[in-house]
Amino acid sequence: MNTIIQPTIAALPPLPPPPSSSFPQNPFSLSNPKPSLRPSLSLSLSPPSSSNPKLKPQLLLNFTALPPSQSLPTQKPLLPLTPPNGSDQTHFLFHHLLNLLRLSARHGDHELARAVHASILKFEEDNHLGNALISAYLKLGLVPDAYRVFQSLSCPNVVSFTTLVSGFSKAGREDEAVELFFGMRNSGIDPNEFSFVAVLTACIRILELDLGLQVHALAVKMGYLDCVFVSNALMSLYGKCSCLDYVLKLFDHLPERDIASWNTVMSSLVKEFRYAEAFELFRELWRTEGFGIDRFTVSTLLTACTGSSAFRAGKLVHAYAIKIGLEANLSVTNALIRFYAACGSVNGVKSLFERMPVRDVITWTEMITAYMEVGLVDLAIEMFDNMPERNPVSYNALLAGFCRNGEGLRALDLFTKMLEEGMEMTDFTLTSVVNACGLVMDCKTSEQIHGFLIKFGFGSNACIEAALLDMCTRCGRMADAKKMFLRWPAEQDRSVILTSIIGGYARNGQLDEAISLFNLNQSEGRMDMDEVSSTSLLGLCGTIGFHELGKQIHCHAFKRGFLTDVGVGNATISMYTKCWNMEDGVKLFNMMPTHDVVSWNGLLAGYLLHRQGDEALAFWSKMERTGIKPDKITFVLIISAYRHTNSNLVDNCRSLFLSLKTVYGIEPTSEHFASFIAVLGYWGLLDEAEEIICKMPFEPEVSVWRALLDSCRLRMNTTVGKRVVKRILAMEPKDPSSYILVSNLYSASGRWHCSEMVRDKMRKKGFRKHPGQSWIIHNKKIHPFYARDKSHPQAKDIYSGLEILILECLKAGYVPDTSFVLQEVEEHQKKDFLYYHSAKLAATYGLLTSKPGKPVRIVKNILLCGDCHTFLKYMSIVTRRTIYVRDASGVHYFSSGQCSCKDYW
């Protein structure tokens, strides 16, 4: 009886010429394959004869020619493969069946593997063949088939178990892999070194540290810890689980090391941001003979250079990669793209991408991330559209990039597209879309996304719920945020959401609630501050001007070693500069071990806040000498610095602005134009400023015209101002500040009817003006004041003190300027309105509560009005006090009747 099985495979070697001897040439050689021939396998069992009572097997290959036209195949004769007389027929057949299994796995041919399987069933059970079949099925992704073969083995050996444990681990069935490993132990079969590596692979994938510790103990007991493969796998597990001490101990006690051992330890150090130690370990590897650096070493070093901003070292690694022929390696090139993106070198990233002979989905995704990092959103979108294939990671990179660049609406549109295409929603995806809602700051949209997540069961995820709470604070839904905060499970860490809600209170003007909540949780020991929370709270202290609390958090960060984190260092610099302490901000910058472009921008912003333009330009020169690549924010700050120089340097500013694209590769944006227009307007060049706006290569945004209008206010130029007002109102801006500026200008010129029309338009659009507020910090508590505010517990003393101050200032020469009263009332009423502005009330409270000779520090949420500015100058004379006021324009330093802003703000 003959049994014929007909599998197919994409390409095998051509039919060899018939040999002269009875033993044929090997038809399985892969040299010179011809895809025009398609083989099929037949196993024929000839019936027994009188001379040979046993079944006589014949392995037959049938080749089918496939013409280019893809017409029906023609048959060629069967080739019998018969072993020479006297040779071991079974061994001969087993050898060729194993070859066919290898070929099926190599070419991804499921049918050929199943055909061989069917042939194997005709022989007695053989573990070697069974294990090879399990391995082939696993390589083909047929895990259930592999498991059925394993179950059919009557006596599986250690290779059978190990092969399947490894297959389960790589197929995402880690729990089954672990169960099978311990099932092998229960069956009385001892694992070998490959068994340990296989089960540790499962532990690594699911980050199962406790189980890994048990496997470690078993490896010690059985004497496999000296095996370099087992130790490498253990080090990899401990590195993934952030147990760096265990990694280093294992490495130190290894009797033998290979390059994978060194790479694993370096990778673990980089994962924990211990870059200096990673570089030192590499230097030790370099000095050790017998080890060649591979692609993993280079990729790890590039990651360390990226994380530590060691741009010069990264370029040296790149040069070495070229020298040893690794630049074309896919993983190395992907790491190089990531490195040059961190350097801000768009041309370097683009050049690498264009030279790559092979690209994968990671390459394209890295390019999207690189373009998004430097703000080239349109190029990132183009890269995404040109991708030959996309996965959820690609979509997530684009989504996160939109959020990073403030493109909340685009992020929401992409999320909608992902839903329509049935794309997998990961925690990262959902967190990003929640962050996008926070950027848009639209209450209704945030409620819709919130409802969607709850409906589909994502709201119970701690990470997503924390992002939702933060979104609520950014969309003005503080009541909902408070509810989420109060129902947060007690057993879960509250540090992240505590930081979010404190920051939310600060953003929504509820400063007292923010500080009270912080003090309460810190006193109860529930405020466990890490790098992220320290950064957020330092930002809060800077925003509200809480210098003392900022210093305490700085000390805490110093004790915990957080200042090595560049983000914490940057936040501390910003805090000091916003809290009137430029000196400590500069000191901290000089003490930081590493800087990024944000560090430099932070100190530049501090100089501008203090109106120290010449110092900012000197710092910019230092930045250029250091070789740090500036970004678009850097140039917004540098251009703005020319407003605050002691002498007119408009020509220098103009040269810098015109060289942005040609010298620095920065395409000027509306922010750059607005900064340049403000500089021209400050120095009185209003006509040139208006002409530049009219010649802009793209449609100017409202912010550009508003910069010119503000200059018209400073220079009291009503001619240009009227034209600019018409432009702004025609654009129908989507922010209230433009309407308020126009309305105030109308009010100041006595055109009350026009002012009311503008405010009526605001109301119809749903815009509302945030009232002017000034506050002062006393006894770790914020004391806020509004105009004519009598809600403070010491209001009676404050008003009595202010009346005395007004009389003293009037004697010294102060004359109330009623043009700053923007209400249509009688003249005597205007004076009453002026006398009780929030800044005057806050300054009086500061005098009453501070020690004689100590400076008074005030924060105001909008621009200081002209009359308050004049009053505070006289107040500094009559009280002999220094008064600091930080308003929307920067820091005012009042001393002996003078202000640091030179009366231009």
Side-chain angles (χ1 to χ4, degrees):
M1 184 178 76
N2 292 343
T3 303
I4 306 295
I5 301 150
Q6 301 249 349
T8 59
I9 192 168
L12 270 180
L15 183 66
S20 56
S21 67
S22 61
F23 190 78
Q25 296 180 9
N26 182 8
F28 302 104
S29 169
L30 285 180
S31 58
N32 303 316
K34 287 186 181 178
S36 59
L37 295 178
R38 191 183 200 93
S40 59
L41 173 72
S42 300
L43 179 69
S44 176
L45 299 178
S46 303
S49 61
S50 57
S51 60
N52 187 4
K54 295 184 179 180
L55 285 173
K56 184 178 181 182
Q58 279 193 315
L59 191 62
L60 304 175
L61 275 180
N62 177 37
F63 286 87
T64 304
L66 294 178
S69 62
Q70 295 295 312
S71 58
L72 287 173
T74 58
Q75 298 292 323
K76 289 198 174 184
L78 291 175
L79 170 70
L81 299 179
T82 309
N85 293 331
S87 67
D88 187 343
Q89 295 175 347
T90 304
H91 175 76
F92 171 79
L93 286 171
F94 280 14
H95 171 72
H96 288 293
L97 288 171
L98 289 171
N99 277 339
L100 285 171
L101 284 174
R102 293 189 193 101
L103 287 170
S104 68
R106 186 181 304 166
H107 293 279
D109 195 324
H110 297 191
E111 295 305 317
L112 179 58
R114 289 194 170 107
V116 176
H117 185 180
S119 300
I120 290 172
L121 292 175
K122 301 180 184 297
F123 298 97
E124 291 183 8
E125 181 180 309
D126 180 85
N127 271 355
H128 187 53
L129 272 179
N131 294 341
L133 190 57
I134 293 171
S135 178
Y137 277 143
L138 290 172
K139 288 174 183 175
L140 291 166
L142 303 174
V143 181
D145 295 67
Y147 187 51
R148 280 193 289 271
V149 173
F150 175 81
Q151 287 181 311
S152 70
L153 296 176
S154 57
C155 296
N157 58 18
V158 65
V159 177
S160 317
F161 276 99
T162 300
T163 305
L164 195 58
V165 170
S166 179
F168 278 155
S169 299
K170 294 172 183 175
R173 297 168 65 167
E174 293 85 1
D175 292 337
E176 293 169 79
V178 172
E179 186 179 343
L180 189 65
F181 175 82
F182 286 102
M184 172 176 63
R185 289 276 295 154
N186 294 335
S187 301
I189 298 174
D190 286 334
N192 60 19
E193 61 269 37
F194 302 107
S195 313
F196 280 105
V197 172
V199 75
L200 285 169
T201 301
C203 296
I204 291 167
R205 285 173 174 263
I206 57 176
L207 300 179
E208 183 55 73
L209 179 60
D210 291 338
L211 185 60
L213 289 167
Q214 294 178 40
V215 175
H216 186 171
L218 183 62
V220 172
K221 181 180 178 181
M222 297 187 67
Y224 282 111
L225 200 58
D226 289 343
C227 175
V228 68
F229 307 118
V230 177
S231 291
N232 288 348
L234 280 168
M235 287 193 295
S236 181
L237 170 66
Y238 291 139
K240 296 280 186 185
C241 295
S242 299
C243 297
L244 188 58
D245 289 343
Y246 290 176
V247 176
L248 297 175
K249 284 179 182 177
L250 270 170
F251 184 74
D252 289 340
H253 289 91
L254 269 177
E256 179 189 351
R257 298 168 181 169
D258 61 9
I259 189 61
S261 313
W262 294 87
N263 288 342
T264 302
V265 181
M266 278 191 284
S267 177
S268 301
L269 287 166
V270 169
K271 181 177 177 290
E272 297 301 315
F273 311 110
R274 290 165 68 166
Y275 303 118
E277 293 170 71
F279 289 130
E280 182 56 41
L281 190 68
F282 171 70
R283 282 189 281 270
E284 186 182 341
L285 168 63
W286 186 268
R287 293 189 294 266
T288 305
E289 294 184 6
F291 287 105
I293 293 168
D294 63 9
R295 59 195 174 99
F296 298 108
T297 318
V298 174
S299 299
T300 303
L301 284 172
L302 286 167
T303 304
C305 294
T306 304
S308 61
S309 302
F311 300 136
R312 186 178 177 186
K315 290 174 182 178
L316 290 173
V317 174
H318 184 186
Y320 187 72
I322 295 172
K323 182 179 178 181
I324 61 176
L326 283 176
E327 192 200 22
N329 180 269
L330 192 57
S331 62
V332 170
T333 314
N334 289 343
L336 281 168
I337 289 174
R338 203 175 306 123
F339 167 72
Y340 281 107
C343 295
S345 175
V346 178
N347 292 333
V349 168
K350 188 177 178 183
S351 174
L352 277 167
F353 181 77
E354 289 173 348
R355 292 202 311 268
M356 290 180 73
V358 179
R359 301 163 185 156
D360 61 4
V361 70
I362 298 173
T363 312
W364 291 87
T365 305
E366 289 289 357
M367 288 299 295
I368 293 168
T369 305
Y371 282 138
M372 285 296 192
E373 286 282 352
V374 294
L376 298 174
V377 177
D378 291 335
L379 283 176
I381 294 170
E382 183 182 336
M383 188 65 61
F384 180 80
D385 291 338
N386 291 332
M387 287 182 74
E389 61 171 316
R390 303 179 189 125
N391 61 14
V393 179
S394 316
Y395 278 90
N396 287 339
L398 191 64
L399 194 65
F402 283 143
C403 293
R404 188 181 298 115
N405 288 278
E407 298 278 359
L409 289 174
R410 277 181 163 179
L412 292 173
D413 288 341
L414 180 64
F415 177 68
T416 304
K417 183 181 177 182
M418 291 173 72
L419 289 175
E420 290 170 351
E421 294 182 2
M423 192 62 58
E424 179 189 357
M425 297 289 121
T426 64
D427 289 353
F428 186 86
T429 312
L430 299 171
T431 305
S432 294
V433 78
V434 170
N435 291 339
C437 283
L439 289 170
V440 174
M441 292 190 291
D442 181 71
C443 183
K444 189 173 181 181
T445 304
S446 73
E447 287 173 346
Q448 290 175 345
I449 292 293
H450 199 161
F452 168 82
L453 294 176
I454 292 172
K455 181 179 178 181
F456 289 96
F458 296 117
S460 58
N461 182 296
C463 294
I464 296 172
E465 185 130 359
L468 283 169
L469 186 147
D470 189 65
M471 176 194 73
C472 290
T473 67
R474 295 178 186 276
C475 296
R477 296 168 54 197
M478 285 308 300
D480 290 334
K482 186 176 180 180
K483 286 177 186 175
M484 293 174 71
F485 176 75
L486 293 175
R487 69 167 183 258
W488 192 267
E491 66 274 7
Q492 289 187 11
D493 182 24
R494 296 165 65 95
S495 299
V496 175
I497 61 159
L498 193 55
T499 304
S500 292
I501 198 163
I502 289 171
Y505 278 131
R507 273 192 299 274
N508 287 275
Q510 297 170 264
L511 304 177
D512 204 30
E513 288 86 343
I515 294 301
S516 298
L517 187 61
F518 172 76
N519 288 333
L520 174 66
N521 283 275
Q522 193 178 43
S523 63
E524 293 178 354
R526 290 186 293 183
M527 193 82 189
D528 183 23
M529 289 195 294
D530 57 9
E531 291 93 335
V532 176
S533 57
S534 296
T535 301
S536 299
L537 290 168
L538 284 164
L540 168 63
C541 292
T543 300
I544 63 179
F546 203 153
H547 187 237
E548 291 304 315
L549 181 58
K551 285 171 69 176
Q552 289 177 29
I553 296 172
H554 178 193
C555 291
H556 174 82
F558 178 76
K559 289 177 182 176
R560 296 282 298 272
F562 295 159
L563 289 182
T564 55
D565 182 279
V566 70
V568 177
N570 294 344
T572 312
I573 290 171
S574 179
M575 181 275 296
Y576 278 124
T577 59
K578 289 178 180 177
C579 292
W580 311 280
N581 191 345
M582 195 67 205
E583 184 181 353
D584 281 352
V586 174
K587 281 182 183 177
L588 186 65
F589 178 88
N590 293 331
M591 290 169 59
M592 284 175 67
T594 57
H595 304 95
D596 58 11
V597 70
V598 179
S599 316
W600 292 86
N601 288 349
L603 203 55
L604 279 171
Y607 282 125
L608 293 189
L609 193 68
H610 289 259
R611 308 177 200 278
Q612 298 175 5
D614 293 309
E615 289 83 348
L617 293 177
F619 189 66
W620 159 240
S621 298
K622 181 181 176 182
M623 183 178 178
E624 283 197 299
R625 290 194 302 271
T626 308
I628 295 290
K629 187 173 178 64
D631 61 10
K632 61 182 181 181
I633 297 172
T634 310
F635 287 105
V636 171
L637 296 169
I638 294 303
I639 293 168
S640 300
Y642 286 95
R643 278 190 69 186
H644 305 296
T645 51
N646 292 324
S647 56
N648 186 336
L649 299 175
V650 171
D651 290 340
N652 294 1
C653 182
R654 190 183 291 109
S655 299
L656 176 68
F657 180 78
L658 295 175
S659 67
L660 284 184
K661 187 173 182 181
T662 55
V663 176
Y664 299 101
I666 300 286
E667 192 73 45
T669 64
S670 285
E671 288 83 0
H672 297 109
F673 274 98
S675 298
F676 185 46
I677 296 303
V679 172
L680 294 173
Y682 180 84
W683 293 103
L685 303 173
L686 296 174
D687 292 331
E688 182 185 346
E690 187 177 15
E691 184 183 347
I692 285 174
I693 297 175
C694 293
K695 292 181 178 179
M696 280 175 63
F698 52 87
E699 193 66 30
E701 293 182 6
V702 176
S703 59
V704 182
W705 288 110
R706 197 166 61 220
L708 182 55
L709 185 59
D710 198 44
S711 299
C712 293
R713 175 186 65 82
L714 282 174
R715 294 290 170 181
M716 293 181 287
N717 187 319
T718 56
T719 305
V720 177
K722 286 177 183 177
R723 293 198 297 268
V724 176
V725 164
K726 288 179 182 178
R727 293 269 194 176
I728 290 176
L729 292 177
M731 295 174 76
E732 296 193 350
K734 295 179 174 59
D735 64 298
S737 58
S738 300
Y739 289 101
I740 293 164
L741 180 58
V742 172
S743 173
N744 290 350
L745 284 170
Y746 280 140
S747 299
S749 60
R751 300 169 68 183
W752 304 108
H753 177 65
C754 293
S755 174
E756 185 53 38
M757 284 177 62
V758 173
R759 289 180 181 270
D760 185 55
K761 197 171 185 178
M762 275 182 64
R763 285 189 287 270
K764 286 179 180 177
K765 288 182 173 293
F767 295 144
R768 64 185 183 92
K769 176 184 181 293
H770 290 290
Q773 183 188 32
S774 302
W775 62 87
I776 199 163
I777 309 260
H778 177 62
N779 285 341
K780 296 186 179 181
K781 186 175 172 62
I782 296 173
H783 298 266
F785 297 92
Y786 295 93
R788 302 184 303 283
D789 183 8
K790 294 186 178 180
S791 62
H792 195 278
Q794 295 173 259
K796 188 175 180 180
D797 295 335
I798 294 167
Y799 274 77
S800 298
L802 180 55
E803 287 168 7
I804 296 169
L805 275 173
I806 291 169
L807 288 173
E808 292 298 319
C809 289
L810 288 168
K811 289 178 188 177
Y814 162 62
V815 178
D817 187 350
T818 56
S819 67
F820 290 98
V821 178
L822 304 178
Q823 289 84 10
E824 192 175 6
V825 293
E826 297 294 331
E827 191 68 21
H828 69 277
Q829 290 178 297
K830 287 184 177 182
K831 287 186 178 180
D832 287 340
F833 274 48
L834 275 181
Y835 289 156
Y836 304 112
H837 275 188
S838 65
K840 295 184 180 78
L841 293 170
T844 305
Y845 180 73
L847 285 172
L848 293 172
T849 55
S850 60
K851 294 178 181 179
K854 291 289 183 182
V856 175
R857 292 183 171 90
I858 304 161
V859 182
K860 188 171 178 66
N861 65 338
I862 58 175
L863 282 175
L864 195 64
C865 86
D867 183 72
C868 286
H869 192 271
T870 304
F871 178 82
L872 291 172
K873 287 200 292 185
Y874 280 99
M875 183 175 166
S876 69
I877 295 173
V878 301
T879 62
R880 297 179 183 177
R881 293 280 198 104
T882 299
I883 302 166
Y884 295 96
V885 178
R886 197 189 80 210
D887 70 352
S889 71
V891 173
H892 299 265
Y893 175 84
F894 297 97
S895 179
S896 304
Q898 300 295 318
C899 180
S900 59
C901 75
K902 301 172 187 174
D903 297 339
Y904 284 103
W905 74 100

